[in-house]
Each structure stands twice: as structure tokens, then as C-alpha cells.
């Protein structure tokens, strides 16, 4: 028989404890559950509230506790914590509560860990271990499925503060953090140390702060995808309940910009035949992504600043302010310091955005992450095609050698498209060296067209694969010289130029074949390089002699001379 009183100290669970309808008794509610076990009678619950706005819910939970345990008293304590994900603020608030609380000698105290933010749980654990809360830990957890009898009671377990319990809890929080970082990286096990540190910092910020986040970096570096993952992580932690709303600011101009962002009343301008909510209101209690924010017009910048600071703004044509509480994530590939200096971006808005700024590196800056990203794209392509897609060994080595030194001007968009093309062309889902060589030729020619030249370091990167280095110096007029006026797709032209250059630089068809198929030939039990070159040329109704004759013309030799 228990002679000492038992008092439970714990946070109100604003999500798990919530609910005002009768259906709330069909699910587990941890604070009610802790008082619903005959073997664990609770004399009093010290219910901690983050802010005054939680009082109404707390009163309902208090009534429900008394309904299941009439002998239990419930005392509400509002801690006035502005940011429940701030370790410093949470720890100080709980520390002050513990110091000001009158702990009684004839009472056993239990600190409830099932509710509150993870930061709150860590702080409660630390303060209990340090004996600021002189008691033991108690945890509750769900049992059974929603709607089953007594589901709401759950399971109760008292935790002794020994080393094993400490390790168990520490491991729980460590695993949760690792899972959050994996979500932000879309499940890709990245190897770049700087990028992993960056993601670790973003994980801490997005679960502890609702301040604006500014993502910078080149186009295609993954800013939009990261913003979506940040929203998903915050939604999992019950930090947002609204929608994820995104817009590219480069598409916003004139009345359309103001109306799209802030909404308008009917008749606010010509063509405003109905009322429009606007994206800021659509993102209430959620996340608003303003991509390419450097393109946002100055007038809209001013209104956005006020909306960020006051959470209020005026829709077009309205004389009444509306409210929206959203987290802003902004993305840009521009240098906003330069934009501010040149008067194209407001300094005050930049200061408000620049609380948390993270630069996303381009894929070429993370060569060690190329391989896991290729594997990720292979899985994605296989899912689209309905088959498992993979490289053979030689093809993988050749593509990886190229990819790790290539410039990737479109970053992950380029890589994703490249892998998707190879996966589509692969017979039976197996990417071989021929598919890889065609794709590398495709990328080289495309990037040459985009930049006008591949000179310098870019040329070196594009020719990183050893078996393709002979492509340097190829003239785009070579195919036309050999084939005449016959039209050729530029994809095919890249292959033809490679073959023609190999023939030009060697003395026989066999030697040209050895150069062209230096990797794939090692996987063959029977090697016939001459036949492979001959078969390729026959597809174009050409012979080795035809090509040699065309290349031996004096004007061609002069134009194709290597430096």
C-alpha cells in the first residue's frame, strides 16, 4: 500500500493531449493516461504550459483527469516561453520553476517525459538527473489501435535514472536527429563533410526557430527541394499545421505580383472580378517559399517586410488588415549584398531575411557526393520506368570518372536528366559503356553550346574520362565534311565526331577501336575492335576508307590540327 503522495510534473501536450469532442476518448492522451492507472495513484499533476494561449486546452485536460481520477488535483503553471525549441530559454524557464517550487518531504515526484518538445524533454531529463527536480522519470506510451477499448489509457513505465537509462534516452534523441538530417538530404547518404555540417546546422535551426531562412546558391543546387524537406520536418514535429506554399518571384510583375502575394478585394483593379486570398494567407500556420526572391519588385518587398515583422498586411483594394502567421523560406542565386548596394533590394528586408542564411553548394563543389546522388537518381529513374536500373562495372567507372570532374552548370537538374536518359536507353535496365559514351558526348556538346567554349578548367573536366580524352580539339564541322548535306541529330554527331577523331589519330581501324573501346573491351572474352568500328560506320553507309579519304583533304587537316 502506498503511503506517500505521488506528484507528476509534466508539460501539456498541445497536440497529443488535444481535443474537445467525444472522440478524444478513442485515442491515447499522455497527460490523462498518466493518471488512469490504479497501480500508480497520482495525488497531483503540476501541468506546465508554454503560454497563456494553451489555458483553454489545459482546462479541458484538467476536467478529463478529474473525470478518470477524482482524487487527483491539477495545478496549471504558465511558463511564458516564447520559443519552446530554444534550449537556453527552455532550460532557464524550467530551472526557475524548479527553484521556486516547494518540494515536500513526504511526496514522491515523477517527471513526465511523453509530452512537450524534444528540447523540453531533454531539459527535464537534465534537471531531474541533476536533482533540481528531486524525483524519478515516468513515461507513457500508446497501446492498441485508435477506437479499441481503453486505448486512451496507454502504458505507463517508471524509469530509474541509472547509466543505462541515460544512454537509452540519449540514443533516442541522437537517432531522431539523424533521421531528421536524412530527411533533409532526401535519404541520400552524403560524404562531403562541409555539406553534412551544413545540413546538421539547418536541422537544428528549423526545429528550434521559426525565423526566416535564406537559401542561396547556384540554380539547380537543390534549394527548392531542401525547403520542402524543411517543411516536412517541421510538420513531423508538429511545428506547422498549415500548407507549404511556393512561388517563383521572377514570375511576379505589376498588379499580378501584389495580388498573388497579398490577395485582393473584388474590383481592386481591372480584371479583379472575384476576391483572391493571396499566398501569404494561404500559408497561414505553414511555410511560404519565395524562390528567386532577388527578383521581387521593390513595392512588394516593402509589404513583405511588414508582413514578416507584424504578421499583418493589407490586401489590394481593402481597408482592413488581415493576419497570417507563416514561416518564410527565401531562395536566390543572386548576391543580395550586391543587389542591396545597387538599390535593387531593400536593405531592411535583407537584414530581416539574413538571420539564418545557408549557401547550397553546387554539385561540382561536392565531387565525393556524386556517386550517392547517381545511385539516388538510378532508383528514381527505375521507379519511373518500372524496372531496376544499374550500370555494368566499366560503364559505372567511366561515368563516375567523368561526373566527378564535370562542371554540371545545371547542377542536380543536369545530373538527374543525364541519369534518366541513360536509364531510358539501357536495354533491360543495364547501362553499358556505349550508353555512357553517348551520354558524355551529349553533355559535352550541350555544355559547349551553352557556354560558347569549353576552354580551360571546364575542358579538362569535360574530358576527365581517360578513354574520351582524344575528343579534345574535335571540330563541329567534321561530320558535315564526311557526310555532306545529310542532316544529323547533334546527339549522333557527338558519337560520329569521336569515331572520326579516333580514325584520324591512329594508323588502323583496329587501333581506332582500341582507343574508342578501351574500357568495355576488357570485359569481353573475344575482342574484335575492328569489327565494332566497321559495324558503327556501316550504320551510316560509311567505310573506314571513306573517312580516311575525307580526313586527308588538306583543308580539313589544317582546320583539325591539334595544338
Amino acid at each position: 500500500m502506498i503511503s506517500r503522495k505521488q506528484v507528476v510534473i509534466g508539460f501539456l501536450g498541445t497536440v497529443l493531449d488535444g481535443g474537445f469532442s467525444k472522440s478524444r476518448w478513442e485515442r491515447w492522451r499522455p497527460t490523462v493516461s498518466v493518471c488512469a492507472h490504479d497501480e500508480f495513484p497520482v495525488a497531483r499533476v503540476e501541468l506546465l504550459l508554454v503560454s497563456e494561449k494553451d489555458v483553454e486546452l489545459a482546462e479541458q485536460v484538467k476536467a478529463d483527469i478529474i473525470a478518470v481520477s477524482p482524487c487527483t488535483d491539477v495545478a496549471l503553471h504558465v511558463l511564458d516561453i516564447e520559443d519552446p525549441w530554444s534550449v537556453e530559454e527552455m532550460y532557464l524557464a524550467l530551472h526557475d520553476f524548479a527553484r521556486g517550487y516547494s518540494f515536500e518531504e513526504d511526496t514522491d515526484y515523477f517527471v513526465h517525459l511523453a509530452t512537450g518538445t524534444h528540447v523540453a524533454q531533454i531539459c527535464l531529463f537534465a534537471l531531474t538527473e541533476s536533482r533540481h527536480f528531486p524525483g524519478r522519470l515516468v513515461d507513457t506510451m500508446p497501446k492498441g489501435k485508435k477506437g479499441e477499448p481503453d486505448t486512451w489509457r496507454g502504458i505507463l513505465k517508471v524509469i530509474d535514472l541509472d547509466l543505462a537509462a541515460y544512454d537509452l534516452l540519449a540514443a533516442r534523441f541522437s537517432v531522431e536527429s539523424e533521421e531528421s538530417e536524412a530527411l533533409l538530404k532526401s535519404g541520400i547518404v552524403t560524404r562531403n563533410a562541409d555539406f553534412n555540417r551544413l545540413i546538421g546546422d539547418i536541422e537544428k535551426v528549423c526545429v528550434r526557430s521559426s525565423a526566416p531562412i535564406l537559401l542561396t546558391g547556384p540554380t539547380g543546387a537543390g534549394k527548392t527541394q531542401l525547403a520542402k524537406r524543411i517543411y516536412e520536418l517541421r510538420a513531423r514535429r508538429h511545428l506547422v499545421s498549415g500548407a507549404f506554399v511556393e512561388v517563383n518571384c521572377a514570375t511576379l510583375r505589376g498588379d499580378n505580383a501584389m495580388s498573388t502575394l497579398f490577395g485582393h478585394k473584388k474590383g481592386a483593379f481591372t480584371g479583379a472580378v472575384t476576391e483572391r486570398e493571396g499566398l501569404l494567407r494561404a500559408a497561414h500556420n505553414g511555410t511560404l517559399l519565395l524562390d528567386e526572391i532577388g527578383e521581387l519588385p521593390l513595392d512588394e518587398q516593402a509589404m513583405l517586410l511588414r508582413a514578416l515583422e507584424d504578421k499583418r498586411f493589407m490586401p489590394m483594394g481593402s481597408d482592413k488588415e488581415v493576419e497570417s502567421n507563416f514561416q518564410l523560406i527565401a531562395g536566390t542565386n543572386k548576391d543580395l549584398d550586391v543587389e542591396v548596394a545597387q538599390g535593387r533590394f531593400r536593405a531592411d528586408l535583407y537584414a530581416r531575411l539574413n538571420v539564418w542564411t545557408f549557401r547550397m553548394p553546387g554539385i561540382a563543389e561536392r565531387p565525393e557526393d556524386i556517386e550517392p546522388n547517381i545511385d539516388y537518381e538510378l532508383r528514381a529513374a527505375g521507379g519511373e520506368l518500372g524496372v531496376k536500373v544499374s550500370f555494368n562495372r566499366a560503364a559505372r567507372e567511366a561515368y563516375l570518372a567523368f561526373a566527378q570532374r564535370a562542371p554540371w552548370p545545371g547542377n542536380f537538374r543536369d545530373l538527374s536528366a543525364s541519369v534518366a536518359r541513360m536509364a531510358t536507353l539501357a536495354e533491360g535496365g543495364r547501362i553499358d559503356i556505349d550508353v555512357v559514351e553517348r551520354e558524355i558526348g551529349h553533355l559535352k556538346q550541350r555544355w559547349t553550346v551553352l557556354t560558347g567554349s569549353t576552354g580551360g578548367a571546364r575542358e579538362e573536366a569535360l574530358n576527365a574520362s581517360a578513354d574520351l580524352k582524344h575528343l579534345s580539339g574535335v571540330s563541329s564541322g567534321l561530320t558535315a565534311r564526311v557526310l555532306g548535306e545529310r542532316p544529323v541529330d547533334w546527339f549522333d554527331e557527338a558519337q560520329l565526331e569521336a569515331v572520326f577523331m579516333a580514325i584520324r589519330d591512329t594508323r588502323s581501324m583496329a587501333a581506332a577501336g582500341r582507343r574508342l573501346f578501351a574500357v568495355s573491351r576488357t570485359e569481353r572474352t573475344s575482342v574484335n575492335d575492328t569489327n565494332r568500328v566497321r559495324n558503327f560506320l556501316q550504320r551510316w553507309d560509311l567505310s573506314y576508307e571513306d573517312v580516311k579519304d575525307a580526313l586527308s583533304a588538306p583543308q580539313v587537316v589544317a582546320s583539325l590540327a591539334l595544338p
Side-chain angles (χ1 to χ4, degrees):
M1 182 175 180
I2 298 176
S3 58
R4 293 168 63 86
K5 293 188 298 183
Q6 296 191 149
V7 173
V8 172
I9 302 171
F11 274 93
L12 173 72
T14 55
V15 175
L16 294 177
D17 285 333
F20 294 91
S21 68
K22 291 182 180 180
S23 63
R24 68 185 184 276
W25 293 105
E26 298 176 4
R27 61 181 176 81
W28 174 66
R29 298 162 70 210
T31 302
V32 179
S33 169
V34 80
C35 301
H37 298 268
D38 293 338
E39 74 280 9
F40 189 81
V42 179
R44 186 170 67 254
V45 174
E46 306 291 3
L47 194 54
L48 309 179
L49 281 61
V50 170
S51 67
E52 289 281 355
K53 66 182 177 62
D54 299 327
V55 170
E56 182 182 4
L57 174 60
E59 292 288 356
Q60 179 64 66
V61 172
K62 177 179 178 179
D64 290 344
I65 289 174
I66 294 173
V68 301
S69 180
C71 295
T72 301
D73 294 328
V74 180
L76 308 184
H77 304 274
V78 179
L79 300 186
D80 284 326
I81 298 173
E82 184 175 341
D83 181 5
W85 290 95
S86 167
V87 174
E88 181 180 11
E89 186 179 3
M90 179 63 70
Y91 186 88
L92 290 175
L94 289 173
H95 184 269
D96 289 344
F97 173 81
R99 291 189 61 183
Y101 184 86
S102 298
F103 292 98
E104 302 169 359
E105 291 187 4
D106 63 342
T107 301
D108 290 329
Y109 291 93
F110 296 85
V111 176
H112 190 203
L113 285 184
T115 53
T117 65
H118 301 304
V119 171
Q121 294 170 1
I122 292 171
C123 292
L124 282 172
F125 178 88
L127 289 166
T128 304
E129 186 189 35
S130 65
R131 304 296 294 171
H132 286 85
F133 289 104
R136 288 179 287 172
L137 301 175
V138 62
D139 196 12
T140 53
M141 59 202 76
K143 178 183 180 182
K145 298 180 180 179
K146 181 179 179 181
E148 292 182 353
D150 282 350
T151 296
W152 62 273
R153 290 184 192 276
I155 301 171
L156 181 144
K157 181 180 180 181
V158 176
I159 303 173
D160 289 324
L161 269 178
D162 57 18
L163 185 60
Y166 180 88
D167 290 344
L168 180 64
L169 288 172
R172 171 183 172 183
F173 294 122
S174 176
V175 168
E176 199 159 54
S177 179
E178 291 174 3
E179 290 174 347
S180 297
E181 291 183 18
L183 171 64
L184 294 176
K185 296 188 290 186
S186 300
I188 302 172
V189 183
T190 54
R191 304 165 183 171
N192 182 276
D194 290 339
F195 182 74
N196 287 336
R197 279 192 293 270
L198 174 71
I199 293 298
D201 290 342
I202 293 174
E203 188 269 339
K204 294 180 179 69
V205 168
C206 71
V207 299
R208 298 177 186 177
S209 173
S210 60
I213 294 176
L214 178 61
L215 302 178
T216 68
T219 298
K223 299 186 290 294
T224 299
Q225 288 302 314
L226 178 59
K228 291 177 180 178
R229 298 291 88 78
I230 290 173
Y231 167 77
E232 290 179 19
L233 177 56
R234 288 175 58 79
R236 286 187 182 183
R237 300 288 184 89
H238 308 291
L239 296 173
V240 292
S241 57
F244 178 82
V245 180
E246 64 176 302
V247 64
N248 188 323
C249 295
T251 66
L252 303 179
R253 289 291 181 271
D255 288 342
N256 176 58
M258 197 72 74
S259 171
T260 299
L261 292 176
F262 306 104
H264 64 248
K265 301 292 287 184
K266 180 179 178 180
F269 54 88
T270 302
V273 295
T274 60
E275 184 172 322
R276 184 175 188 178
E277 179 184 46
L279 296 183
L280 267 67
R281 275 195 285 175
H284 179 57
N285 289 331
T287 299
L288 175 65
L289 169 62
L290 294 182
D291 199 13
E292 303 302 342
I293 196 170
E295 303 290 343
L296 191 65
L298 289 170
D299 288 345
E300 284 70 23
Q301 291 180 30
M303 285 192 66
L304 176 62
L305 176 62
R306 186 177 175 224
L308 284 174
E309 293 180 337
D310 302 337
K311 304 299 181 183
R312 304 184 66 81
F313 54 91
M314 198 91 73
M316 291 182 67
S318 176
D319 56 3
K320 184 178 179 181
E321 288 185 329
V322 296
E323 182 178 292
S324 182
N325 181 28
F326 60 90
Q327 184 190 25
L328 176 67
I329 301 179
T332 183
N333 61 4
K334 290 188 173 183
D335 187 333
L336 292 187
D337 287 306
V338 173
E339 297 299 298
V340 169
Q342 297 183 357
R344 293 191 293 265
F345 202 85
R346 293 180 62 102
D348 47 5
L349 176 58
Y350 183 40
R352 189 71 180 84
L353 295 177
N354 204 22
V355 178
W356 297 109
T357 298
F358 301 100
R359 181 187 178 276
M360 296 294 294
I363 190 172
E365 300 173 62
R366 298 161 47 198
E368 59 269 67
D369 286 342
I370 294 284
E371 186 170 21
N373 274 280
I374 290 173
D375 292 335
Y376 173 82
E377 297 297 343
L378 281 174
R379 291 191 295 272
E384 288 287 330
L385 297 169
V387 297
K388 182 179 180 180
V389 182
S390 62
F391 290 93
N392 67 30
R393 183 180 60 81
R396 184 181 182 89
E397 290 176 356
Y399 186 73
L400 187 60
F402 167 81
Q404 287 179 331
R405 298 180 61 189
W408 299 110
N411 285 292
F412 292 97
R413 293 172 185 165
D414 275 358
L415 180 65
S416 178
S418 176
V419 174
R421 281 190 295 268
M422 290 188 292
T424 303
L425 294 173
E427 293 292 341
R430 190 71 165 167
I431 301 173
D432 60 22
I433 191 66
D434 292 331
V435 173
V436 166
E437 289 180 349
R438 289 164 61 189
E439 176 60 21
I440 292 176
H442 165 87
L443 289 172
K444 183 181 185 225
Q445 182 160 351
R446 177 175 176 271
W447 292 340
T448 303
V449 171
L450 287 175
T451 61
S453 172
T454 60
R458 177 162 293 179
E459 178 70 25
E460 180 185 353
L462 288 171
N463 296 304
S465 183
D467 61 307
L468 295 170
K469 286 187 177 180
H470 64 281
L471 289 173
S472 59
V474 174
S475 167
S476 61
L478 179 56
T479 304
R481 175 69 186 180
V482 176
L483 296 181
E485 296 298 319
R486 192 192 314 183
V488 180
D489 287 333
W490 52 265
F491 185 87
D492 294 322
E493 185 177 3
Q495 296 181 78
L496 287 164
E497 287 180 343
V499 173
F500 295 163
M501 187 57 73
I503 292 173
R504 192 203 73 166
D505 292 341
T506 55
R507 295 180 179 274
S508 68
M509 198 171 353
R514 286 193 294 273
R515 172 173 287 185
L516 287 165
F517 310 118
V519 176
S520 62
R521 70 196 304 271
T522 62
E523 293 190 335
R524 296 172 179 258
T525 56
S526 177
V527 179
N528 192 335
D529 299 321
T530 300
N531 196 47
R532 293 181 74 180
V533 176
R534 181 183 296 111
N535 289 341
F536 177 86
L537 294 176
Q538 285 177 350
R539 283 163 34 199
W540 297 92
D541 294 324
L542 293 172
S543 68
Y544 176 80
E545 290 73 24
D546 293 333
V547 177
K548 270 295 188 183
D549 289 343
L551 294 179
S552 64
Q555 63 269 37
V556 176
V557 173
S559 66
L560 297 180
L562 293 172

